[in-house]
């Protein structure tokens, strides 16, 4: 495996730049933790708190019991450790401590880490330094290539069986008509989805499950149902003809069908700006999406992590910081997903937006991405100098200088972030990062470009350079 | 998927494509058995291809779908909203902006419920934060306007301060979201303050403006030139509606003087009873007015030194009728249920008579001495209550002092009134320091259970002696073994009103103490918690204030 660097991870010289309160609050796994953390971050129960130049923050928090909780954070990770029993991640104590740190509270003074904190920090950093690219330690299993190959073959056979069965079901539905499929209802699709789970094709299963919801989705549902059936059919036939596809498209199809892939591309070292972090429930688990933008490479990358029922996903990065790190891409053409590898130094709070494009260019980029992945719902893009404009029941983002607009995606219309975006604009142009697709544009972070209204970012670096999270 | 589909067309699929697509949808909806699809590039699928018709349809549909998505074009933009007016106020310092974000986030998050714990209740500090920010003239950060407007929607008491802080951008935003339409109503921050320097504009607005605009205009003119406001009001007075006349008349409270008397005298014969009584009330607050003189004559004919007892007591002879002259001067003839009409009339006469007449009536005695005089035939309560109302109306500090009596006297034995509401009104007529001192002494003598209303009229932050007296009383309550939530009202006030410099002194109270004999179980721990919260709230308020400097 190639490495784009060598030697020890370098630590930033001088004091580590602090995060903002928004950056800290954006890490909270839910509203309740945000509130609890906020209260712990405003005064009172902390003692022996401190931070050092390496990005470590620690403190003791008095709880209801006799022994205070020990909380320590490595902001370069970021990684958290707390002796409290919470299953939230980060817990309210970590959030509170970070808020005190972010606010420059006198309770958190520069100094040497306490023994209990230093021990964990040292251990963690040694592990991080030893850790190679993540793909290499992701395969600790039995190293019998023959057995692995056989297992993969058996699974592929089962998926093929599933895809054939699904083709049959789709043909039956089309022969009888979507109207009667609507009458057959949700159960039909649920049962088919269960069959796809049996066939070990979770990607097919979740697409089938989504079909069940379309007939109840309002006017125009037959068109949407036909489109989704057709794309599912396209995926089936792509799988069944996998050996005739170019490698990269074949990798995309494998991923879409639901075969696990490991990040295996060449690691890309860059200064990555954290653009957005948000969670979407996916059945019983929660999927967390973190969008990153590479300053030098110009690449936009997606970190995906998952939380088991009742737990929040393990990865959390503060929106608006820039971290120097290696990302290892996943296989597949046009695939933005990557895995976070080694990091170099502490993140810095600087968030100037990616260059961005107009609405027409953004839509064209989505169209282009479909060539590599026809199943793509939306792709990440930064819209530059757009103005939110009310339009019928919804909103548009209109180019400030051209007669051109994209609608805001329906999912974003009910979120409070939309109003934040409108307020930031005040009728003037803003720069917005989000996902654009056939449903419209889903705004995730914004920067004000005008000098008129305060960005609300209230940035210490001045001039509204920090992204304002919209989700 | 209503979005780009409606307004965009597939770039490459030419004019024929939509019909071909509609055809596919129809076949898919009805079923290929019933309606074989017309596939691109040929007529209906052949009979023998029935088995493959669905697959062919799906192939064509997939091609169309991907092609349509790949060829999406931008929509035409709708009408752009006019940009928000500029706001010249300076932006918040970074720390203050972070604090506001925290306060608003706390409000929005679900509450923990139950026990309050040791940490401050941030939501309770929003009004104070907003007041300080407005005082120092900062502009609201745009990104925080939506949660700020949400907070103001939920709590009407926040609205005036929140809307001032939100400024023109807040109003602009509220105009786009029906949930915030409250911000557009009323005059508070709604319309910009009228320009009173242009007589032409003033006249035009007065004649054609909306009611709220006219009230705001009259208030603004009155504040600058009371006479001009009166003249403006006189131009249209006779044509105004009764409710409006009442509101406009109320504007005259500002800068009330003898110059207003002729107008008010005239309003005493107004068609509307409410207008008449308001005019009478205003006139009675002018001690030299003719009405005040008439009321003085009526009152002194009812309340006299008791000659039979050597003049050292008060005899009361309540009026026997409410004649038309009294009614014209604003005396309401009909008493509320349960009150005798004669005492009802007496109360109104004494309330409206200038307090200065009593010194002469009682041989040069001071207010203190007059209030101390015994009153014959159980009239004392009625008479003293009327004097209290008169002292409040005429803002007479000397009489208020006399009627409040010594703070150490138990309320039930006090000279004026036992009602805490009345007492707090009397307190308002005293200078701030004296007011705080009186309440401090009251608490020292009687504890906290009666103090809540009185504390409410004291200036924030509480003056030193008052703060210490409240803290001492809380300390005593703890030593007595009661639970802190018996004092949660005062505790909450103390969190918001105590001077933050008291925090250090309070620190010692946060330690858990041994529970005294007979104390309520666990009370010590709860008190320690309550004091911890008090101390952390005070520290937080000090920090908030410093951040807004």
């Amino acid at each position: 495996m190639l490495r784009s660097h060598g030697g020890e991870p370098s630590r930033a010289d001088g004091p580590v730049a602090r995060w903002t309160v928004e950056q800290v609050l954006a890490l909270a796994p839910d509203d309740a933790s945000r509130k609890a953390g906020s209260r712990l971050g405003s005064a009172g129960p902390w003692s022996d708190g401190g931070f050092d130049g390496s990005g470590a923050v620690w403190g003791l928090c008095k709880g209801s019991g006799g022994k205070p909780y020990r909380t320590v954070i490595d902001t370069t990770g970021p990684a958290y450790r707390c002796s409290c029993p919470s299953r939230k991640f980060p817990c309210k104590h970590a959030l509170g401590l970070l808020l005190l740190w972010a606010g420059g509270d006198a309770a958190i003074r520069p100094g040497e880490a306490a023994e209990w904190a230093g021990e964990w920090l040292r251990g963690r950093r040694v592990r991080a330094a030893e850790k190679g690219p993540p793909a290499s330690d992701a395969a600790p299993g039995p190293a019998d290539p023959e057995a692995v190959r056989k297992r993969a073959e058996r699974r592929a056979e089962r998926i093929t069986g599933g895809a054939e069965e699904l083709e049959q079901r789709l043909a039956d539905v089309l022969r009888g008509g979507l109207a009667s499929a609507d009458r057959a209802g949700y159960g039909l699709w649920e049962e088919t989805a269960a069959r796809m789970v049996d066939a070990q094709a979770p990607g097919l299963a979740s697409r089938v499950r989504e079909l069940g919801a379309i007939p109840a989705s309002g006017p125009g549902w037959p068109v949407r149902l036909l489109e989704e059936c057709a794309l599912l059919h396209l995926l089936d036939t792509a799988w069944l003809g996998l050996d005739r596809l170019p490698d990269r498209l074949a990798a995309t199809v494998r991923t879409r069908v639901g075969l696990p892939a490991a990040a295996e591309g060449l690691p890309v070292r860059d200064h990555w700006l954290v653009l957005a972090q948000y969670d979407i429930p996916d059945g019983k688990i929660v999927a967390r999406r973190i969008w990153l933008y590479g300053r030098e490479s110009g690449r936009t990358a997606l970190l995906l992590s998952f939380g088991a029922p009742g737990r929040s996903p393990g990865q959390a990065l503060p929106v608006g910081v820039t971290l120097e790190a290696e990302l290892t891409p996943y296989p597949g053409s046009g695939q933005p997903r990557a895995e976070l590898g080694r990091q170099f130094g502490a993140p810095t709070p600087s968030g100037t937006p990616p260059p961005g494009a107009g609405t027409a260019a953004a839509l064209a980029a989505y169209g282009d991405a479909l060539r590599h992945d026809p199943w793509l719902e939306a792709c990440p893009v930064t819209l530059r100098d757009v103005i939110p404009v009310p339009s019928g029941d919804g909103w548009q983002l209109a180019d400030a200088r051209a007669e051109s607009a994209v609608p805001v995606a329906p999912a974003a219309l009910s979120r409070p972030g939309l109003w934040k975006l409108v307020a930031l604009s005040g009728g003037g142009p803003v720069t917005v990062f989000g996902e654009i697709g056939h449903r419209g544009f889903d705004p995730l972070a914004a920067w004000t470009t005008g000098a008129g209204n305060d960005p609300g970012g209230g940035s210490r670096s001045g001039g509204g350079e920090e992204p304002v999270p919209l989700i | 998927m209503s979005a780009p589909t409606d307004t965009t067309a597939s770039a490459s699929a030419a004019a024929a494509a939509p019909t071909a697509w509609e055809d596919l949808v129809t076949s898919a909806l009805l079923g290929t058995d019933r309606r074989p699809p017309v596939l691109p590039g040929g007529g209906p699928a052949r009979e023998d291809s029935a088995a493959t018709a669905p697959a062919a349809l799906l192939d064509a549909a997939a091609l169309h779908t991907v092609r349509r998505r790949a060829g999406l074009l931008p929509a035409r933009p709708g009408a752009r909203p006019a940009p928000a007016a500029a706001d010249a106020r300076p932006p918040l310092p970074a720390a203050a902006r972070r604090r506001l974000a925290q306060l608003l986030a706390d409000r929005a998050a679900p509450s923990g419920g139950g026990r309050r714990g040791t940490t401050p209740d941030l939501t309770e500090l929003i009004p104070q934060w907003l007041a300080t920010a407005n005082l120092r003239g900062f502009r609201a950060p745009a990104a925080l306007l939506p949660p700020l407007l949400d907070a103001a929607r939920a709590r009407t008491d926040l609205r005036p301060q929140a809307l001032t802080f939100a400024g023109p951008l807040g109003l602009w935003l509220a105009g786009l979201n029906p949930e915030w339409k409250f911000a557009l109503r009323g005059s508070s921050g709604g319309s910009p303050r009228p320009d009173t320097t242009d007589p032409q504009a003033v006249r035009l607005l007065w004649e054609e403006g909306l009611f709220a605009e006219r009230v705001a205009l009259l208030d603004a003119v009155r504040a600058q030139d009371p006479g001009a406001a009166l003249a403006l009001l006189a131009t249209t007075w006779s044509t105004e509606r009764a409710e409006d006349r009442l509101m406009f008349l109320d504007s005259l409270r500002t800068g009330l003087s003898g110059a207003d008397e002729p107008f008010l005298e005239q309003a005493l014969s107004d068609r509307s009873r409410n207008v008449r009584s308001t005019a009478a009330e205003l006139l009675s607050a002018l001690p030299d007015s003719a009405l005040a003189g008439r009321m003085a004559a009526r009152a002194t004919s009812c309340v006299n030194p008791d000659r039979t007892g050597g003049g050292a007591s008060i005899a009361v002879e309540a009026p026997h009728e409410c004649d038309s002259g009294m009614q014209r001067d604003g005396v309401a003839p009909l008493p509320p249920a349960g009150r005798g009409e004669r005492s009802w009339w007496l109360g109104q006469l004494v309330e409206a008579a200038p307090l200065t007449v009593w010194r002469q009536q009682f041989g040069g005695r001071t207010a203190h001495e007059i209030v101390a005089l015994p009153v014959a035939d159980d009239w004392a309560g009625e008479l003293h209550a009327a004097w209290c109302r008169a002292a409040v109306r005429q803002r007479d500090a000397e009489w208020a002092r006399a009627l409040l009596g010594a703070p150490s006297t138990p309320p039930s034995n006090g000279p004026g009134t036992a009602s805490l509401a009345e007492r707090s009104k009397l307190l308002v007529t005293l200078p701030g320091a004296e007011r705080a001192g009186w309440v401090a002494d009251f608490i020292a003598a009687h504890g906290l259970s009666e103090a809540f209303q009185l504390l409410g009229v004291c200036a924030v932050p509480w003056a030193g002696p008052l703060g210490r007296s409240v803290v001492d009383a809380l300390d005593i309550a703890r030593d007595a073994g009661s639970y802190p939530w018996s004092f949660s009202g005062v505790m909450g006030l103390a969190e918001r009103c105590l001077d933050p410099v008291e925090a250090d002194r309070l620190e010692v109270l946060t330690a858990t103490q041994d529970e005294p004999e007979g104390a309520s179980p666990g009370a010590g721990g709860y008190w320690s918690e309550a004091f911890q919260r008090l101390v952390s709230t005070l520290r937080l308020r000090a920090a908030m204030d410093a951040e807004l400097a």
Side-chain angles (χ1 to χ4, degrees), chain B residues 313-339:
Chain B
S313 68
I314 299 176
V316 173
E317 177 72 18
H320 291 275
E321 59 165 347
C322 184
D323 59 35
S324 58
M326 282 164 71
Q327 290 191 37
R328 184 173 180 280
D329 283 347
V331 177
L334 290 177
R339 288 199 59 178

Side-chain angles (χ1 to χ4, degrees), chain A residues 62-446:
Chain A
K62 191 176 177 314
S64 45
K67 223 172 155 190
Y69 297 123
R70 296 169 160 189
T71 311
V72 53
I73 299 137
D74 180 356
T75 60
T76 61
Y80 316 90
R81 165 90 144 202
C82 184
S83 59
C84 77
S86 168
R87 286 154 63 85
K88 300 276 180 61
F89 183 87
C91 69
K92 61 181 177 181
H93 304 102
L95 289 170
L97 185 58
L98 282 172
L99 285 173
L100 285 177
W101 173 66
D105 195 289
I108 310 293
R109 283 177 289 271
E112 280 287 309
E115 186 44 40
W116 55 268
E119 206 172 303
W120 175 77
L121 286 164
R122 276 191 300 277
R124 204 192 100 71
R125 286 175 176 169
V126 166
R127 279 193 304 279
E130 285 167 351
K131 189 183 177 194
S136 62
D137 52 57
D144 178 357
E146 186 58 18
V148 171
R149 196 184 55 79
K150 277 199 169 148
R151 240 194 345 265
E153 260 172 27
R154 271 201 303 278
R155 181 163 183 188
E157 276 164 26
R158 297 185 71 164
I159 296 176
T160 300
E164 282 165 349
E165 184 180 343
L166 182 54
E167 271 303 279
Q168 198 53 51
R169 295 250 176 157
L170 284 174
D172 289 347
V173 165
L174 265 294
R175 208 171 281 120
L178 298 180
S180 33
D182 174 29
R183 281 192 293 279
Y186 204 74
L188 169 81
W189 299 115
E190 270 301 306
E191 185 203 324
T192 312
R195 295 286 304 133
M196 293 307 112
V197 172
D198 292 344
Q200 292 188 296
L204 294 179
S206 67
R207 290 188 92 89
V208 169
R209 207 170 288 123
E210 279 165 27
L211 291 183
I214 293 179
S217 67
W221 68 265
V223 169
R224 288 193 290 279
L225 187 53
L226 175 57
E227 285 185 335
E228 293 306 322
C229 285
L231 289 174
L232 188 51
H233 162 77
L234 188 67
L235 187 54
D236 274 341
T237 46
W239 172 265
L240 296 173
L242 197 64
D243 50 350
R244 297 195 303 278
L245 296 181
D247 283 353
R248 278 158 60 97
L249 185 57
T252 301
V253 170
R254 277 192 207 99
T255 309
R256 288 288 178 193
V257 163
L259 278 177
E264 60 180 30
L266 289 182
V268 182
R269 180 171 173 171
D270 204 340
H271 290 89
W272 298 97
L273 165 65
V274 183
L275 293 170
Q277 170 184 309
Y278 60 99
D279 294 348
I280 8 185
D282 182 6
K284 279 186 185 133
I285 60 173
V286 169
R288 172 166 295 170
R289 294 162 72 87
I290 301 177
W291 282 109
L292 301 172
Y293 171 73
R295 292 246 173 256
E296 280 99 59
S297 63
R299 289 171 71 143
T300 305
L302 175 67
L303 303 181
L304 263 182
S305 55
F306 301 92
R311 300 204 68 137
S312 40
Q315 200 161 40
L317 288 174
V319 171
V321 304
T322 298
L323 53 141
E324 188 180 2
E326 284 180 344
L327 292 194
T328 310
Y330 277 75
S333 45
Q335 164 74 268
R337 188 177 173 192
E339 193 161 280
L340 184 59
R342 296 184 56 171
Q343 294 177 53
F344 310 94
T348 53
S350 88
T352 43
T359 52
L363 272 174
Y366 169 63
D368 205 44
L370 285 174
R371 285 196 315 181
H372 305 291
D373 181 357
W375 301 277
L376 191 65
E377 290 284 309
C379 71
V381 68
T382 301
L383 293 179
R384 190 192 176 84
D385 289 347
V386 287
I387 303 172
V389 174
S391 148
D393 292 338
W395 284 80
Q396 291 178 327
L397 292 176
D399 280 337
R401 279 180 284 274
E403 283 300 296
S404 165
V406 288
V408 171
L413 290 176
S414 53
R415 285 203 305 259
L418 174 71
W419 288 100
K420 229 185 203 183
L421 176 62
V422 176
L424 282 173
S425 140
V430 285
T431 296
V432 194
F433 169 79
E435 294 173 35
I436 195 165
H438 60 97
R439 290 186 170 89
F441 181 82
D442 192 352
L444 301 174

Side-chain angles (χ1 to χ4, degrees), chain B residues 100-238:
Chain B
L100 177 62
Q102 233 174 309
L103 298 182
L104 292 171
D106 191 64
R107 190 198 80 82
S111 120
R115 203 166 144 185
R116 291 187 56 209
T118 59
T119 52
D121 188 345
L122 300 185
T123 310
E124 287 301 319
L125 299 177
I126 296 179
Q128 198 171 358
W129 190 97
L130 286 173
T132 312
N134 284 334
L135 198 66
R136 312 228 166 120
F138 286 113
R139 160 158 52 102
L144 294 178
L145 283 175
L148 180 68
L149 289 170
D150 281 342
R153 183 167 83 116
R155 277 178 62 180
T156 45
D157 63 309
L158 283 181
R159 285 184 189 175
Q161 293 280 16
L163 291 178
T164 304
F165 184 56
L169 183 57
L171 269 189
W172 177 87
L173 198 59
L176 292 166
N177 187 340
E179 296 206 341
W180 298 327
K181 63 173 182 278
F182 70 86
L184 309 174
R185 282 196 300 261
S187 57
S188 56
S191 48
R193 212 159 166 70
D195 176 16
T196 52
T197 56
D198 178 358
Q200 203 80 32
V202 166
R203 171 52 64 99
L204 197 70
L205 185 59
W206 179 250
E207 279 167 7
E208 296 177 3
L210 300 170
F211 177 66
E213 290 170 334
R214 301 180 70 211
V215 171
L217 175 70
L218 192 64
D219 284 344
V221 176
R222 181 76 179 177
Q224 274 171 5
D225 180 353
L230 193 65
L232 189 66
L233 183 55
T235 57
T236 57
W237 178 256
S238 57

Side-chain angles (χ1 to χ4, degrees), chain B residues 222 226-228 230-231 252 255-265 283 286:
Chain B
R222 181 76 179 177
L230 193 65
L252 299 186
L256 187 69
S257 76
D260 300 313
E261 191 183 347
F263 183 85
L264 291 172
E265 267 293 333
L283 281 168
L286 291 171

